[in-house]
Amino acid sequence: MSAETWPPVPTRITEAEVAVGEQVARGGASTVFSIAGPRKTLLYKKYTKPRDADELDGLVATYAGWDAKTLGHVRRTLAWPVATVGEGGQAVGALVVRAAAHFQFTLPSGRMRVRDFNFLLYEKRSEKLGVPRATDREKVDLLRALLDVLSWLDERGFVHEDLASHNLLWKLDPAEVFVLDCDSLRPLSSESSAPLYTTVDWTDPRVLSEEVGRPDRASTSYVLGLLVPRVLVSPHWYPGDALPPERLPAALTELVVRASGPAGSRPSLMEWERGLAKASAQTTGTVVEPAPVGDPAAVRRADRWIFAGGLLLGALFAIFVLARLW
């Protein structure tokens, strides 16, 4: 990236200095704005309620301390906060990295839409909107690309507290993943007093039951144990459902089962990496139909509602996902 594309940004900035552009999305916890002027590679996420700035400042300081090579990697893969928008000691918002244009596609209406994992999960409906279906091998490649990003974060001591289908963007040729909602990153070495925003259907039961206060490494493995069968078998898969051997590569079966078990027995990211590498060789390289899971009528109803909800969530969280304007 050139200096002109990524102009210097102070780590702390007031809202009056942001050059707020048009509102592009509104959610319960934030409103999203484009940014006028040279900072078009960023978006402004304005929080509905001001937050304590310390934890956001920590993420921003981490970003500011990286070298050019690392920053290039982050900008390609993560919607990282690059500046705290502050008033007094409070954070009223954040400037975050935008996703690249190749994570978007054009709807039949002509509108642009980001391609999140809901378009990978609910592929029959996605195909009607102009998103070609991925082969089983391409899906494994995307899961491996996601694991690369999560492993990179883990090696640097970070856990993502809201891993969910609407927070993951994808593209093929080559397979790439861009992770959103990165103000939900937490250093594993620290506690947090910030409000916890998670997506229930993708959240570790240990967190939901308050066995643990925040998502951790075991929680990341749990989410991978949902993503793998939901991507390769059926979007309606839940722990305890069947794992058809003709659909789920043998290298992944044990890992998926362990991922929903006790935290201490869940696969490490290294184990997931080895399993997905083997799984790539166990796929057919063809487009396959989702396997039947659960009651067919309930599945059809869930398909309609979950897919529609995913589209809505994608719009509400568009802070991270509008493509860069070159």
Side-chain angles (χ1 to χ4, degrees):
M1 298 295 172
S2 67
E4 291 75 22
T5 303
W6 291 96
V9 179
T11 56
R12 179 64 77 96
I13 190 172
T14 67
E15 189 173 271
E17 299 172 295
V18 171
V20 179
E22 297 181 352
Q23 178 178 317
V24 297
R26 185 179 180 85
S30 64
T31 303
V32 182
F33 298 91
S34 63
I35 300 177
R39 293 173 182 154
K40 58 188 178 181
T41 50
L42 306 174
L43 290 171
Y44 173 39
K45 177 179 183 180
K46 180 179 175 65
Y47 298 137
T48 302
K49 295 181 179 180
R51 306 179 186 181
D52 182 86
D54 288 347
E55 292 181 29
L56 184 58
D57 283 345
L59 292 174
V60 170
T62 298
Y63 179 91
W66 279 322
D67 59 29
K69 181 178 179 180
T70 304
L71 287 175
H73 175 80
V74 169
R75 292 162 180 168
R76 291 190 300 271
T77 58
L78 295 159
W80 199 285
V82 305
T84 299
V85 182
E87 302 291 344
Q90 297 273 286
V92 300
L95 303 188
V96 299
V97 176
R98 283 177 150 174
H102 53 235
F103 291 108
Q104 283 191 329
F105 71 98
T106 304
L107 290 166
S109 66
R111 292 176 53 242
M112 298 298 292
R113 178 72 173 87
V114 292
R115 192 188 304 103
D116 64 34
F117 261 49
N118 282 324
F119 288 91
L120 190 66
L121 295 172
Y122 302 98
E123 53 190 351
K124 285 189 174 181
R125 294 183 177 275
S126 303
E127 193 172 29
K128 295 177 181 178
L129 296 175
V131 179
R133 295 172 64 175
T135 68
D136 55 355
R137 187 167 299 147
E138 287 173 331
K139 291 176 180 180
V140 171
D141 289 343
L142 287 169
L143 290 166
R144 295 178 73 182
L146 170 62
L147 185 62
D148 286 345
V149 179
L150 297 179
S151 297
W152 189 93
L153 287 170
D154 184 77
E155 289 167 4
R156 285 152 185 80
F158 289 98
V159 62
H160 196 298
E161 295 194 323
D162 191 18
L163 283 177
S165 55
H166 63 270
N167 279 335
L168 305 171
L169 305 185
W170 60 279
K171 66 169 286 293
L172 297 174
D173 301 322
E176 293 181 21
V177 170
F178 188 89
V179 178
L180 311 178
D181 206 12
C182 290
D183 54 353
S184 291
L185 290 172
R186 177 179 63 84
L188 283 161
S189 60
S190 70
E191 298 297 325
S192 174
S193 58
L196 178 61
Y197 299 101
T198 65
T199 306
V200 172
D201 194 42
W202 296 92
T203 301
D204 187 347
R206 298 160 55 245
V207 176
L208 296 176
S209 67
E210 299 184 347
E211 178 184 339
V212 294
R214 316 288 295 204
D216 54 17
R217 280 192 173 99
S219 305
T220 299
S221 187
Y222 175 82
V223 176
L224 287 168
L226 295 180
L227 271 170
V228 167
R230 288 179 180 178
V231 167
L232 296 173
V233 177
S234 166
H236 307 290
W237 188 90
Y238 279 88
D241 287 341
L243 294 167
E246 72 278 9
R247 294 299 309 279
L248 189 72
L252 299 173
T253 303
E254 181 192 3
L255 301 180
V256 169
V257 172
R258 287 169 52 200
S260 59
S265 67
R266 293 177 184 175
S268 66
L269 293 183
M270 183 66 72
E271 288 179 283
W272 279 115
E273 181 179 340
R274 289 196 295 264
L276 285 167
K278 293 178 182 178
S280 183
Q282 296 171 353
T283 55
T284 62
T286 59
V287 173
V288 293
E289 297 300 318
V293 173
D295 176 67
V299 165
R300 285 195 296 271
R301 289 193 297 272
D303 195 348
R304 289 194 295 269
W305 283 104
I306 294 173
F307 186 76
L311 293 178
L312 176 60
L313 281 170
L316 294 179
F317 286 92
I319 178 169
F320 300 119
V321 298
L322 295 180
R324 294 196 294 266
L325 302 175
W326 296 98

